[in-house]
Amino acid sequence: QRVSVCLHRPNHIGKYHTHDFFEINYIHKGSCINLVEDDSILMNEGDMILIHPGAFHNLYADDESVVYNFLLEKKWFINVLSYLKNTDGVLYDFFKAVDTESFYKYAVCPISNNLGLVKKKTDAIIDSSKSDSPWKYIKTETAILDFLEILTNTSDNAYLSTGRGKSSNMMINILDYVTENCSTVNLDIMSEKFFYSKTHICRLFIKNTGKSFNEF
């Protein structure tokens, strides 16, 4: 299964995280706040964000909102992008850089100038993912490819993250360790294990999670 569609749990504060697949958040109804590293992004109905696997992120939507996550395997996504025709625009710049050392962490697509067409394409993705057909995954992949092509050509008002490049793998290890040992961990233990000063560890948590070590 190279693509997946899931409904984001409303009114849920998840863990600040990263993963090895691309993620598209589509605001089907209402609004949400997307925290991607140092940036807090308010998103409204019809907006979308594409998040690179190298970026730490978290999303909060209240119980009045409906947000769908389109999850795309990295290898599959990079492969299909190679077939995109050369074009101008912000999203094409995002796509060109996804497999480089200087990728953009995210691309935001506010409500499209061609909202009706984009909504039709996103609805096709959601409907395909709910199908009982044995061709379900192929249909979903096809719907996503169709959607990406339309989005690339209609998102004149899209914008990219200012920060570029890979997030530290060490921060991933630090967050995993704290999560697994939250009942016993403290700054002294963290400093000894990861060979950072306690002050530097505190700075890392503020920068990457928006919270102090103790708050996290």
Side-chain angles (χ1 to χ4, degrees):
Q1 186 176 343
R2 298 177 295 192
V3 301
S4 181
V5 178
C6 62
L7 189 63
H8 185 83
R9 289 168 58 192
N11 207 19
H12 170 70
I13 301 177
K15 295 177 182 178
Y16 197 59
H17 65 285
T18 187
H19 37 61
D20 61 355
F21 50 84
F22 285 87
E23 179 173 338
I24 300 175
N25 302 143
Y26 167 57
I27 318 307
H28 187 72
K29 176 186 175 184
S31 62
C32 75
I33 295 173
N34 221 314
L35 180 67
V36 186
E37 303 208 357
D38 294 332
D39 299 334
S40 181
I41 305 157
L42 176 62
M43 303 179 65
N44 297 303
E45 187 171 326
D47 292 351
M48 278 164 282
I49 184 171
L50 293 82
I51 302 173
H52 193 281
F56 282 93
H57 60 280
N58 199 1
L59 182 151
Y60 174 76
D62 63 28
D63 54 10
E64 299 296 320
S65 300
V66 178
V67 179
Y68 281 96
N69 301 329
F70 305 153
L71 314 178
L72 316 177
E73 181 188 69
K74 185 175 181 179
K75 183 178 179 181
W76 176 85
F77 185 63
I78 291 172
N79 181 55
V80 299
L81 290 181
S82 66
Y83 294 98
L84 275 179
K85 296 178 181 177
N86 288 345
T87 185
D88 294 324
V90 168
L91 278 188
Y92 187 67
D93 291 340
F94 176 85
F95 293 150
K96 282 192 300 184
V98 295
D99 200 26
T100 71
E101 290 293 323
S102 188
F103 59 80
Y104 292 97
K105 295 178 181 178
Y106 62 82
V108 176
C109 304
I111 296 175
S112 170
N113 295 332
N114 203 343
L115 180 60
L117 180 58
V118 172
K119 187 177 186 307
K120 180 179 178 182
K121 299 301 181 182
T122 50
D123 285 348
I125 296 172
I126 295 165
D127 291 343
S128 297
S129 71
K130 295 177 179 178
S131 169
D132 294 327
S133 166
W135 305 102
K136 168 181 175 177
Y137 298 124
I138 293 176
K139 288 182 176 180
T140 305
E141 286 181 18
T142 303
I144 286 177
L145 291 175
D146 195 22
F147 159 73
L148 288 173
E149 182 178 7
I150 293 297
L151 195 64
T152 306
N153 294 322
T154 60
S155 296
D156 296 335
N157 54 350
Y159 62 91
L160 299 171
S161 64
T162 53
R164 299 181 69 173
K166 291 187 176 178
S167 297
S168 168
N169 287 332
M170 181 59 73
M171 193 62 201
I172 299 174
N173 296 335
I174 287 173
L175 290 172
D176 284 344
Y177 184 81
V178 172
T179 302
E180 293 169 3
N181 300 278
C182 60
S183 61
T184 57
V185 73
N186 57 45
L187 281 172
D188 289 324
I189 293 173
M190 296 293 292
S191 180
E192 183 177 346
K193 179 171 179 61
F194 292 100
F195 306 103
Y196 287 143
S197 70
K198 291 186 283 188
T199 301
H200 185 64
I201 290 172
C202 289
R203 286 198 198 102
L204 286 174
F205 271 86
I206 289 293
K207 178 181 178 181
N208 287 285
T209 71
K211 298 178 181 180
S212 70
F213 174 78
N214 287 334
E215 288 171 337
F216 185 87

